[in-house]
Amino acid sequence: RQGPGHPGGHGGGGREARYRLHTVLQRDRQGGQSLEPGHRAVLGHRVRGDRGAFRLLAGHAVRAQCLGGGRSGHLGCGDCHRRNYRFDGVDWNREAIVRGTGGRLFDIESGDDFGEDIGLSADGNTLAVGASNTNRAYVFSFDGSEWSLDALFEGQNVLGENVFGDDVAISADGNTVAVGSPWEDELAGAVYVFRFDGTNWNQESRIQGENGDESDGFGKVSLSADGTLLLVGASREDSVATGIDGDQTDNSASGAGAVYLYRYDNFNWQRAAYIKASNTESADQFGANVVISSDGNTIAVAATGEDSRATGVNGDQNDNSIADSAAVYIFRFDGSSWSQDAYVKSTNPDDRDYFGGANGIALSADGSTLAIGAGREDSAATGIGGDQSDNSASLAGAVYVY
């Protein structure tokens, strides 16, 4: 978060400002669309703001209307930062405000998107931060008394609109960082892997999908704890394949999405699996969010455009009567191969609840517990196990634990 009451996006104004966010799901090459207060952009459209056109990926906030204490306008801010807190055994205390070093291409008003995504090592002493509006990512370290900047990473083309830093992941030991750059090569996307050798940070690899096509959006990332498994989502990949290692050549399911798993072996990254949903369909956006468990044996993948009416675990995938109700798919490794283990829906699916969207999936280290956020769920329930049927609190949000 960028400050108190500033949920996941960026905006001008004071620290106490609250914002209502608007999102778009996919870039449109042909023109744009203006946003009015309270308006939500439509899939397939580009947003045009007061400082030009903005091309966004799934779940990316593009414009904020100030609700108090700040100003409305373009998603840039003069107070883009991350606040770090540390637990002393009794209380949580604010330890530092971590800021970027200043964007090369954008002034402070247009915004760096510093903090677009973050990753923290297991011991809490290494922090990776994405700043996609400047095509940068940063690594900070804590020496026991203060935070300092260790490294600044840049994508292959720092002058392009690559949104390098849109997604970041860090290994448990803090020595491996993966950075997504989903707009590279005409939105085909790429992922960069950086590794610390004990003295310096070095770019180890630049990875693209083997069947990468324009607009695939390859770039949502997650790392196993030891940094040897890399999971990458490409939510606009088009193949009609299902399951594990299917046919990648039939691109008749536009925007169905795919996930790629890579293994680090003998100093090289090799693809370990090409993963698709069991009910692949156009515009499902499978891979909009991806998580791999710390032990590397469980994978969770969100498909934010999936449409089925199923509820709970392993329901009927074939009744597509609730548009964009979304689903999460669980895959497990048995020691020799990957397979789909579960098809997960909310217990009260509704259209556009954004189940599993943004960064709304978390797995326990051993993959046995799954938490899924639905940031646009509408029920007025409070606390644990409340009444899900009263949809009178629009976009209140909910979290489901399995």
Side-chain angles (χ1 to χ4, degrees):
R1 295 180 182 275
Q2 307 306 314
H6 194 227
H10 306 68
R15 291 185 180 176
E16 300 304 323
R18 296 180 297 115
Y19 293 87
R20 179 163 67 242
L21 301 182
H22 311 278
T23 56
V24 296
L25 299 181
Q26 191 170 358
R27 171 193 177 187
D28 187 329
R29 294 177 165 277
Q30 310 296 326
Q33 173 183 331
S34 296
L35 283 181
E36 300 297 332
H39 181 75
R40 186 174 299 129
V42 179
L43 178 66
H45 282 269
R46 182 173 59 170
V47 169
R48 195 177 299 281
D50 60 353
R51 295 179 184 268
F54 300 87
R55 304 166 183 172
L56 284 303
L57 303 178
H60 188 123
V62 278
R63 191 166 167 77
Q65 178 197 2
C66 181
L67 300 181
R71 72 183 183 201
S72 300
H74 170 261
L75 290 187
C77 70
D79 193 28
C80 289
H81 55 264
R82 287 287 167 178
R83 297 173 185 267
N84 288 357
Y85 295 82
R86 191 172 293 270
F87 187 62
D88 63 9
V90 178
D91 299 309
W92 285 94
N93 302 288
R94 191 173 76 189
E95 181 174 76
I97 296 178
V98 181
R99 299 176 185 273
T101 59
R104 172 185 300 149
L105 304 178
F106 299 87
D107 61 32
I108 198 167
E109 284 192 7
S110 61
D112 286 356
D113 271 4
F114 180 83
E116 176 73 11
D117 194 34
I118 59 173
L120 191 65
S121 62
D123 63 5
N125 291 330
T126 308
L127 174 69
V129 181
S132 61
N133 216 11
T134 59
N135 293 322
R136 288 178 168 182
Y138 302 80
V139 175
F140 298 87
S141 65
F142 184 67
D143 64 6
S145 60
E146 62 183 9
W147 286 89
S148 60
L149 176 65
D150 273 5
L152 186 157
F153 306 139
E154 294 181 319
Q156 180 170 277
N157 179 10
V158 297
L159 298 178
E161 293 182 296
N162 298 325
V163 293
F164 175 91
D166 183 73
D167 205 51
V168 298
I170 189 169
S171 60
D173 64 6
N175 291 331
T176 306
V177 170
V179 182
S181 185
W183 286 3
E184 280 196 24
D185 293 344
E186 299 297 320
L187 280 78
V191 169
Y192 295 75
V193 182
F194 302 88
R195 195 174 294 271
F196 185 64
D197 63 11
T199 305
N200 299 306
W201 282 93
N202 303 288
Q203 182 178 318
E204 181 175 80
S205 187
R206 177 179 179 269
I207 302 171
Q208 291 188 290
E210 294 79 359
N211 62 329
D213 287 321
E214 183 176 312
S215 298
D216 276 1
F218 181 92
K220 194 72 176 175
V221 294
S222 182
L223 281 168
S224 60
D226 62 5
T228 63
L229 290 173
L230 169 67
L231 191 64
V232 183
S235 62
R236 297 189 304 280
E237 189 263 4
D238 299 326
S239 92
V240 74
T242 59
I244 310 298
D245 293 329
D247 178 14
Q248 304 177 22
T249 62
D250 181 354
N251 283 346
S252 58
S254 177
V259 171
Y260 303 76
L261 180 66
Y262 299 89
R263 183 181 298 277
Y264 186 68
D265 188 29
N266 293 323
F267 303 101
N268 291 298
W269 287 96
Q270 306 289 335
R271 197 190 78 189
Y274 168 69
I275 302 170
K276 297 282 288 187
S278 50
N279 59 335
T280 296
E281 289 186 339
S282 296
D284 274 1
Q285 296 186 81
F286 178 85
N289 192 9
V290 299
V291 175
I292 188 167
S293 61
S294 294
D295 64 9
N297 291 326
T298 306
I299 287 170
V301 181
T304 54
E306 196 266 359
D307 302 324
S308 92
R309 182 176 286 276
T311 60
V313 180
N314 292 330
D316 179 11
Q317 305 177 19
N318 299 314
D319 179 359
N320 284 345
S321 57
I322 304 182
D324 299 335
S325 53
V328 171
Y329 302 74
I330 306 300
F331 300 85
R332 289 195 188 274
F333 186 65
D334 64 7
S336 59
S337 61
W338 287 91
S339 61
Q340 185 172 316
D341 184 63
Y343 166 73
V344 182
K345 299 281 289 188
S346 71
T347 48
N348 59 332
D350 210 342
D351 62 310
R352 297 172 181 83
D353 274 358
Y354 213 45
F355 182 75
N359 291 313
I361 302 179
L363 278 169
S364 60
D366 64 359
S368 64
T369 303
L370 168 70
I372 303 174
R376 299 174 189 163
E377 193 263 2
D378 298 327
S379 90
T382 60
I384 310 300
D387 179 13
Q388 304 176 22
S389 62
D390 179 0
N391 280 348
S392 60
S394 180
L395 308 183
V399 174
Y400 305 77
V401 181
Y402 300 83

